[in-house]
Amino acid sequence: LQNENVLMTFHEKFKQYDLGEGHPFRGDRFINAINFFKEQGLLTLPQLRIVEPKPASKKDLLRVHSGDYVNLIFRLAEESRPYDIETPVSPTILETALLIVGGAIECGKAVFSGTVKRAISLGGGYHHAGRDYGGGFCLFNDIAVLVEFLKAERGVKTYLHAVREIFVPLAEEFKPEIIIANGGRTLILRICLAT
Amino acid sequence: MLGDLSLTANGFFRLSRLIREKAQKVCDGRLILLLGSGYNPKVLPLCWYALVAGAVGLEKIDVKEPYNRLLSLPLLGRGLKA
């Protein structure tokens, strides 16, 4: 029988990723989602296993981010100073950011060890952060950290990366795999091969 | 809804299933979903649920769409105003 188990990472402390009153990114988003999952009976499915992630290490972060940038974020956290106007930093926000990146790595480990077929890092996808910058509510790029972890530790060479693009003209080199057109608007979900 | 696309929770579920099926075809089903974003508190739990349900492998979901689909269609909306 094919292994169809699925792992999902979630931690009570995710609620600490709360960027404050009036900010669109509030800490209750995670538990509200979990409560809805419970109502729908999702959490009692036999194939779904929920795991608390461990924090990502500096070594994990440094595969993607520069040392100066990582040090800056740790210093801002100590001083509870924002990175920019929409991206606050504090000791608890940093702790949570590391747990979320750790969740992505946990997902990668589980899928590549074969204990599960698929994995979901709940609350992940901090795609605005780059090598030496953050912003857009993001401190560390969990997607890039996961990819670099899998390349360095699991020998992954190629992967398919699904990217959501909206209102982007079709470029020849990116053949869209999934298109949903609705009301005159188009959603393009690119699935590209990356190395 | 996503970016004024009128993409419903069921649309998110369909996307998630399509991604799962694509993974089955190309990489033995291995799939890692980094699932975040969304800032409308009314919609976020539904859309996250729809994405998780698709990745877990449910055949269907039963959620009540929080917005009226027809009224939210941008072209139709403009047509009605004209």
Side-chain angles (χ1 to χ4, degrees):
Chain A
L1 190 72
Q2 210 185 8
N3 173 12
E4 287 295 328
N5 291 335
V6 180
L7 176 137
M8 183 162 71
T9 51
F10 171 72
H11 201 297
E12 287 278 335
K13 286 189 171 181
F14 283 180
K15 67 181 175 204
Q16 297 176 162
Y17 210 108
D18 187 331
L19 304 188
E21 188 84 29
H23 196 291
F25 198 120
R26 302 305 307 270
D28 60 1
R29 67 210 310 269
F30 307 98
I31 196 66
N32 288 346
I34 287 283
N35 287 338
F36 189 73
F37 296 175
K38 271 185 200 154
E39 279 173 30
Q40 298 296 319
L42 190 79
L43 302 188
T44 52
L45 291 174
Q47 69 267 44
L48 184 65
R49 192 154 55 88
I50 298 182
V51 168
E52 275 193 354
K54 294 182 187 64
S57 66
K58 274 200 177 176
K59 185 185 170 191
D60 293 323
L61 300 179
L62 291 170
R63 286 195 197 94
V64 168
H65 298 285
S66 69
D68 284 351
Y69 174 72
V70 171
N71 289 338
L72 169 70
I73 295 300
F74 275 71
R75 197 168 66 245
L76 290 174
E78 271 175 31
E79 299 165 2
S80 285
R81 284 170 49 208
Y83 175 81
D84 64 20
I85 193 167
E86 61 180 17
T87 314
V89 188
S90 71
T92 49
I93 290 173
L94 173 61
E95 183 187 20
T96 318
L98 294 174
L99 285 172
I100 286 171
V101 180
I105 291 172
E106 191 72 44
C107 287
K109 283 179 178 171
V111 168
F112 278 81
S113 71
T115 53
V116 299
K117 178 66 80 180
R118 297 180 289 278
I120 299 154
S121 171
L122 196 73
Y126 291 73
H127 59 135
H128 293 289
R131 175 170 165 75
D132 54 4
Y133 59 90
F137 321 160
C138 306
L139 301 182
F140 304 118
N141 190 318
D142 53 335
I143 309 151
V145 171
L146 169 63
V147 166
E148 292 306 321
F149 168 82
L150 292 175
K151 283 178 169 176
E153 303 287 335
R154 297 293 184 273
V156 170
K157 290 194 172 60
T158 56
Y159 55 96
L160 293 169
H161 184 193
V163 192
R164 190 193 72 199
E165 293 292 344
I166 307 166
F167 314 139
V168 174
L170 302 186
E172 282 297 315
E173 65 268 33
F174 291 116
K175 187 170 173 287
E177 297 277 345
I178 296 169
I179 297 181
I180 291 182
N182 202 351
R185 308 291 181 100
T186 305
L187 167 70
I188 301 166
L189 189 75
R190 292 176 185 157
I191 299 186
C192 340
L193 187 67
T195 53
Chain B
M1 289 185 294
L2 169 69
D4 200 22
L5 284 166
S6 306
L7 185 62
T8 60
N10 281 289
F12 274 91
F13 177 65
R14 197 179 134 205
L15 277 180
S16 185
R17 287 198 60 182
L18 286 167
I19 293 169
R20 179 167 59 84
E21 286 162 10
K22 180 61 75 180
Q24 296 284 14
K25 278 183 197 154
V26 299
C27 53
D28 193 31
R30 284 179 298 185
L31 172 66
I32 301 170
L33 189 63
L34 304 172
L35 189 171
S37 206
Y39 301 102
N40 181 331
K42 197 165 143 186
V43 173
L44 181 146
L46 272 77
C47 292
W48 284 18
Y49 167 69
L51 290 169
V52 171
V56 165
L58 297 190
E59 290 302 318
K60 62 182 172 73
I61 58 169
D62 182 17
V63 294
K64 190 174 179 300
E65 298 290 349
Y67 292 102
N68 183 313
R69 293 174 65 182
L70 283 176
L71 286 179
S72 67
L73 290 176
L75 285 183
L76 184 58
R78 275 199 289 275
L80 287 174
K81 275 175 214 155

